[in-house]
Amino acid sequence: METLTYREPRLVALALLVIVAAGLSALLAIGRQEDPTITNLFATVTTPFPGADPARVETLVTAEIEDKLREISEVDTLTSASATGISIIQVELSDQLADGRIEQVWSEIRDAVAEAEAAFPEGVQSPDFDTDGSGAYSAIVALSAGHDGVPLTIIARYAEDLANRLRSVPGTKLADIYGAPEEEVLVTVDPVRSAALGLTADAVSTAVRAADSKGQSGRLRGADNDLIIDLEGDITAVDRVRQVILREGVDGQVTRVADIARVTRGPRQPVEEAALFNGAPAVLVAAKLEDGLQVDVWMSDVKAALDTAFAAIPGGIDAALIFDQSRYTADRLSEVATNMAIGVALVVGVLLITLGLRAAAIVALILPVVSLATLATMNVIGLAIHQMSVTGLIVALGLLVDAGIVMTDE
């Protein structure tokens, strides 16, 4: 076995050809991204309870969620904080959990939070379950008002359409929107007029809520039929709110919302979050790539989708791709390849002078062959090319040069 490679040179040539072919094939197929994939074991459950003191939040919200989450054996640590009007629970999974099981556990936790929500008292808002705290976005698009001063509420609708387009691009993991204002219909009651009629703000709110008939009003069941009864008149426009009847007199007098209040529609103030682009208010659409894919190939599909979306955006809205991770990734890999080529050239040059042509040729052959073999192995085990893997490859190749020189000299 010690002299097999000397006795069978064609076997060595075949092995080299296989390594080169596998490495070149892997170079075209292996995932390319800027940062390594981080396994996310942390999540946050945020539940608003407006107007409630910390003791009520702890008893009625936080404790309910924690009791459900403790039933899941994969949950390692629960850390909660109950403040005035809000409950925040931090969830940490066991670090012994297999990667393929993590998403299933997150799904079980979502179901547990939904079960706890069923026991919440009136006034508690739906919990926000966030597991996307790790990883960087691969593309960010900014939409801002041009010279026409288009409201952010209009821009947000185009941003939502753009986010849906990005979600449909193959390889997109998620698409988030930042800086979009939340729209609301505000009913501002005139205190003088309402006091003269004996109407309070709560009475106006109750009347508006009762006028919005979005739920079913009843069911009609027969021997062969089962029908749902709905009432017309649900609130779909601001004018419908103004026409809501608050009081009817004995002589037919009618008091409507418009008689004692001003009804407007616009962004909720104060805003929960704001985004700026070039110093102007904007709405940002950020997309993230699936793990292990090629960011440059995915980005070409994203740009094609953006070209179609930008064509549908009116002239009063400025849209621009402000972050393209593929460009940074390509520049970084190109820089690494250039540095590696310079390093190989220097090593071969030094060896050519000190050890001669044969030793320099052997070491020069080792570096590309081992690099291609490494790429093939990385492709098989699903490890993408990124900052950390390339750094490790360079360090390993430096050690390989030393080993190659020793073995050649020996």
Side-chain angles (χ1 to χ4, degrees):
M1 291 297 294
E2 294 177 356
T3 60
L4 176 63
T5 55
Y6 294 98
R7 289 186 286 105
E8 300 291 342
R10 285 178 293 183
L11 182 62
V12 177
L14 179 61
L16 291 176
L17 287 176
V18 171
I19 292 175
V20 171
L24 293 177
S25 176
L27 188 60
L28 299 176
I30 194 171
R32 294 188 288 269
Q33 56 195 59
E34 184 175 13
D35 301 311
T37 301
I38 300 175
T39 302
N40 184 29
L41 300 176
F42 301 90
T44 304
V45 182
T46 305
T47 310
F49 191 1
D53 58 79
R56 290 195 67 200
V57 172
E58 173 68 27
T59 303
L60 301 178
V61 178
T62 304
E64 290 286 345
I65 298 178
E66 287 183 333
D67 290 343
K68 292 295 183 181
L69 295 182
R70 287 193 179 97
E71 297 176 1
I72 301 176
S73 58
E74 291 81 1
V75 174
D76 186 28
T77 305
L78 288 176
T79 306
S80 63
S82 301
T84 301
I86 193 168
S87 166
I88 301 176
I89 300 177
Q90 306 245 345
V91 183
E92 179 180 354
L93 302 183
S94 172
D95 55 6
Q96 303 298 324
L97 194 62
D99 292 346
R101 172 89 171 114
I102 292 177
E103 289 300 326
Q104 183 179 353
V105 174
W106 287 137
S107 179
E108 294 174 1
I109 292 177
R110 289 188 182 92
D111 295 339
V113 173
E115 292 179 8
E117 184 180 1
F120 290 167
E122 185 178 356
V124 181
Q125 300 180 13
S126 297
D128 179 26
F129 184 68
D130 183 17
T131 60
D132 298 318
S134 61
Y137 290 108
S138 305
I140 301 177
V141 181
L143 283 75
S144 59
H147 300 292
D148 298 336
V150 180
L152 278 181
T153 52
I154 303 298
I155 296 176
R157 298 175 187 176
Y158 287 98
E160 183 61 40
D161 177 70
L162 178 59
N164 291 332
R165 290 178 182 268
L166 293 180
R167 294 185 184 105
S168 64
V169 175
T172 301
K173 184 177 183 179
L174 57 89
D176 294 326
I177 298 177
Y178 295 96
E182 184 177 356
E183 294 187 67
E184 69 174 0
V185 176
L186 183 63
V187 180
T188 307
V189 179
D190 188 327
V192 177
R193 294 183 181 179
S194 60
L197 296 174
L199 294 172
T200 63
D202 288 340
V204 176
S205 176
T206 301
V208 173
R209 188 183 302 110
D212 190 16
S213 56
K214 283 187 170 63
Q216 73 176 46
S217 302
R219 301 181 69 176
L220 180 62
R221 295 181 178 177
D224 301 322
N225 298 311
D226 186 1
L227 305 177
I228 297 176
I229 301 175
D230 289 332
L231 296 179
E232 294 185 353
D234 53 332
I235 297 177
T236 58
V238 175
D239 288 339
R240 176 69 180 86
V241 179
R242 297 190 181 100
Q243 298 303 317
V244 172
I245 297 176
L246 300 177
R247 177 179 295 173
E248 296 185 36
V250 294
D251 298 329
Q253 305 95 332
V254 176
T255 302
R256 304 180 186 274
V257 171
D259 297 331
I260 65 168
R262 181 167 56 91
V263 182
T264 57
R265 180 178 179 176
R268 175 175 293 179
Q269 297 294 337
V271 296
E272 293 186 1
E273 62 181 18
L276 296 176
F277 175 60
N278 289 336
V283 179
L284 304 181
V285 181
K288 187 179 294 187
L289 174 68
E290 287 280 0
D291 300 331
L293 299 183
Q294 298 177 338
V295 65
D296 50 347
V297 176
W298 174 79
M299 200 63 208
S300 63
D301 296 335
V302 168
K303 290 179 179 178
L306 291 180
D307 291 339
T308 304
F310 289 170
I313 295 177
I317 300 176
D318 295 333
L321 177 65
I322 62 175
F323 178 73
D324 178 3
Q325 190 186 75
S326 65
R327 180 164 59 88
Y328 297 95
T329 303
D331 292 343
R332 192 181 302 271
L333 294 179
S334 176
E335 181 180 358
V336 168
T338 303
N339 293 336
M340 186 179 297
I342 294 174
V344 171
L346 290 175
V347 169
V348 172
V350 172
L351 293 178
L352 185 62
I353 297 173
T354 57
L355 296 181
L357 178 61
R358 182 173 180 274
I362 293 176
V363 175
L365 180 64
I366 289 176
L367 292 176
V369 170
V370 172
S371 298
L372 292 175
T374 303
L375 290 177
T377 305
M378 291 171 59
N379 189 36
V380 170
I381 66 177
L383 178 61
I385 297 178
H386 47 69
Q387 298 184 58
M388 298 303 295
S389 61
V390 169
T391 302
L393 178 61
I394 293 175
V395 173
L397 289 178
L399 299 175
L400 179 66
V401 170
D402 299 336
I405 294 173
V406 172
M407 293 302 296
T408 303
D409 186 58
E410 182 67 21

